[in-house]
Amino acid sequence: MGGHAHTLSMRFAMLASAAVVGACSFDTSVAFESASGGNNDTLSTDAGPAPDSAESSVADAAPQGTADAAPSVSDGTLQSFRRTQELTLDGELEAVWQAATFVDFAIADSPQLEALGSYIPDASLRMASLYDDDSIYFFIEVVDDLLVDNSVSTYNDDSIELSIDGQNDRSGPYNDDDHWLVIGAEGVYASLGPAPIGLVGSILPTATGYNIEIGLDREDLGAGNNSMLGFNIAINDDDGEGNTGIDAYGVWHLPLTDSCTSCCAGQGGSYPWCDTTRLGQLQLVP
Ligand SMILES: [Ca+2]
Ligand SMILES: [Ca+2]
Ligand SMILES: [Ca+2]
Ligand SMILES: [Ca+2]
């Protein structure tokens, strides 16, 4: 992958136990990997916010969220809605996600896709976001025909990458409010920004790929009570074509504005993980 050879020096991983907020069962959740520039942050099973703990009794009866509707991908804004019901970060869609608006993204439609010539673009995702006073939540349902886990770094295997700018200044260089989170199908995550943060939640293998359901602390993000954050998401698809690297990397949104010329030096391009001008936005809808 020409432009996707991440070279930030701050990556080292340790396994921590699975973190679930208010989960009733841990059987399907998997361990998270926390990477943090030598700090080796440990993920606590009870870290972070505490949404209502009881699993909704209607969880099993509500397998589908609302299909992709309002927010326009072209302007790169994902809407997040206030959580109104119980939420269990177990990788399963429950009723509360019915209130959210899911947005589809297929890697084949990426405005910035880097892929091996042999890659057949099959990966896709749909995502939604909720929030409360303390946290921002994401449900990301990834479809991928083949899950490959053969690399040390999470972003070199099947994974998604979240880029979040807590202050929404989107000024280019990564600062302490800017976060690059890589969350892998193999059940690990890495926080690779200058100010690594923890996250809670689960990664759940499915028949067609994997589900990610996570919560991020708004203070940890440097977002406070901000209602607009910088945001982007990318898919890494490894289908085993490219040795230990990925076969394809595709971002959801590509701004039309100028990129930061110095931010991704040596990377052969500009990417959300090294240049916050490459972000869209996350709107916390009142
Ligand atoms: Ca859930
Ligand atoms: Ca694939
Ligand atoms: Ca920022
Ligand atoms: Ca794959």
Side-chain angles (χ1 to χ4, degrees):
M1 294 309 307
H4 201 53
H6 301 276
T7 56
L8 293 193
S9 60
M10 53 184 71
R11 68 178 73 122
F12 225 85
M14 61 173 291
L15 288 174
S17 56
V20 177
V21 173
C24 292
S25 65
F26 286 78
D27 54 330
T28 52
S29 58
V30 288
F32 273 162
E33 167 189 357
S34 177
S36 62
N39 290 331
N40 285 341
D41 289 349
T42 301
L43 195 70
S44 167
T45 54
D46 57 6
D52 300 329
S53 59
E55 188 165 18
S56 168
S57 60
V58 297
D60 292 337
Q64 297 296 325
T66 305
D68 49 318
S72 164
V73 172
S74 62
D75 73 1
T77 300
L78 177 68
Q79 291 187 310
S80 182
F81 298 88
R82 182 169 281 279
R83 179 176 68 84
T84 56
Q85 301 175 63
E86 294 169 354
L87 174 61
T88 303
L89 300 175
D90 57 359
E92 305 267 11
L93 273 178
E94 59 267 73
V96 64
W97 288 109
Q98 297 279 4
T101 301
F102 277 80
V103 170
D104 289 330
F105 164 48
I107 198 168
D109 298 328
S110 170
Q112 185 179 10
L113 173 63
E114 297 184 359
L116 299 177
S118 58
Y119 176 68
I120 299 170
D122 67 288
S124 64
L125 61 76
R126 60 185 208 121
M127 59 181 169
S129 179
L130 297 168
Y131 72 93
D132 57 28
D133 288 345
D134 300 318
S135 299
I136 299 172
Y137 307 94
F138 293 95
F139 199 105
I140 302 162
E141 194 175 82
V142 183
V143 174
D144 184 354
D145 60 345
L146 179 67
L147 300 182
V148 175
D149 174 10
N150 61 2
S151 303
V152 173
S153 296
T154 305
Y155 50 69
N156 280 327
D157 288 325
D158 287 307
S159 55
I160 63 98
E161 303 193 14
L162 289 177
S163 301
I164 299 177
D165 182 340
Q167 290 297 310
N168 197 35
D169 47 76
R170 293 179 286 158
S171 58
Y174 262 62
N175 297 311
D176 284 353
D177 64 310
D178 302 313
H179 308 278
W180 170 28
L181 300 167
V182 185
I183 305 169
E186 60 211 60
V188 296
Y189 83 90
S191 174
L192 297 168
I197 60 172
L199 58 83
V200 293
S202 297
I203 303 166
L204 180 66
T206 66
T208 54
Y210 53 103
N211 288 350
I212 295 166
E213 186 178 22
I214 55 169
L216 299 167
D217 186 273
R218 293 171 69 172
E219 290 298 332
D220 289 351
L221 288 169
N225 292 320
N226 293 351
S227 59
M228 292 293 280
L229 290 74
F231 171 82
N232 211 340
I233 188 169
I235 299 176
N236 290 316
D237 191 359
D238 187 354
D239 288 344
E241 298 285 333
N243 298 318
T244 57
I246 50 172
D247 299 359
Y249 165 82
V251 301
W252 170 62
H253 176 65
L254 184 64
L256 297 176
T257 50
D258 290 341
S259 62
C260 165
T261 54
S262 60
C263 288
C264 301
Q267 299 298 335
S270 294
Y271 305 94
W273 53 268
C274 48
D275 178 359
T276 64
T277 72
R278 301 299 86 197
L279 305 188
Q281 296 183 98
L282 180 72
Q283 177 190 16
L284 308 192
V285 179

